[in-house]
Amino acid sequence: MSNGHEIETQITNRLNTGFVGRQIYYYRQVATTMETARDLVKKGAVEGTVVIAGTQTSGKGRIGRTWLSPEGSLAISIILKPPLKNLPHLVMIASLAVVRAIKQAGVEARIKWPNDVIIKGKKVCGILIENEVAGGSVNYADIGIGINVNFNPRDFPEIADIATSLSHEAGRQISSVELAAELLNELERLYLEAQDGAPVHRAWRQNMETPGKRIKVDTGIAVEQGYAETVTEGGNLILRRGDGSLVEIAAGDVTVIKD
Ligand code: BTN
């Protein structure tokens, strides 16, 4: 990527959004875009404000994990202020927007419940959503998206076995600017459709790999094992245990059990 201001302009020129990405802050390096976004919210950032970083020194993953953001990755935070009832949709909207943006770049990806994006079983994107709710309304939500774009995961032993990247899969460099713009375009479209009452869970489910697989889910409280039957409109996973009973799970870490 080129310098910060140029990158902001290159992305803006490719946007067809009304508000998402109309205010972009690009940084060559930050600790984590989640923190930068939170600071911007405190300073009055408008809905749709986007933070993009070339690299992160303290990238945050789900459940207290770290997220590796070396040169060649895309780290992005999108500040939204949805009605409270639309908050649960953000998980679906974000992962679906990523899958569609990646497809535009010529690569097929799938969703691993709840919101990882994978290619041939390996993780190419992670999503972390933080929000602040007070008095029955959402002060802000930050959709944090990390995509492995142009680096070789094999150069990073800590993720080499479980992760892949777009360039690795496509066998060529992928434009981070085009990918980011497409992601923001898709995200706004889905976000507005969801607020109009569109059933976003359907497309989310169609692009998901997990149902139909035998899996293990670590919820942080328990480890459940069984057959992934489906996902609900609210985004929960319905798992059939070995004894035939059903359990509905709101979030967790999924491992596919190989037969
Ligand atoms: C996960 O799969 O554990 C979620 C990873 C989320 C990573 C993104 S990169 C942009 C934003 N900034 C962060 O520090 N984390 C999220």
Side-chain angles (χ1 to χ4, degrees), residues 112-113 213-219 222-227 237 239 249 252-257:
K112 177 178 153 194
W113 182 87
K213 294 232 154 53
R214 287 211 318 121
I215 59 169
K216 201 166 78 178
V217 190
D218 186 348
T219 66
V223 178
E224 295 279 359
Q225 193 166 317
Y227 178 79
L237 179 78
L239 187 83
I249 304 171
D253 244 15
V254 168
T255 317
V256 175
I257 300 168

Side-chain angles (χ1 to χ4, degrees), residues 23-27 30 33 36-37 40 49-53 75-79:
Q23 188 74 59
I24 296 184
Y25 295 89
Y26 175 86
Y27 301 91
V30 294
T33 60
T36 313
L40 286 169
T49 299
V50 166
V51 178
I52 300 183
I76 182 161
S77 270
I78 302 137
I79 298 166

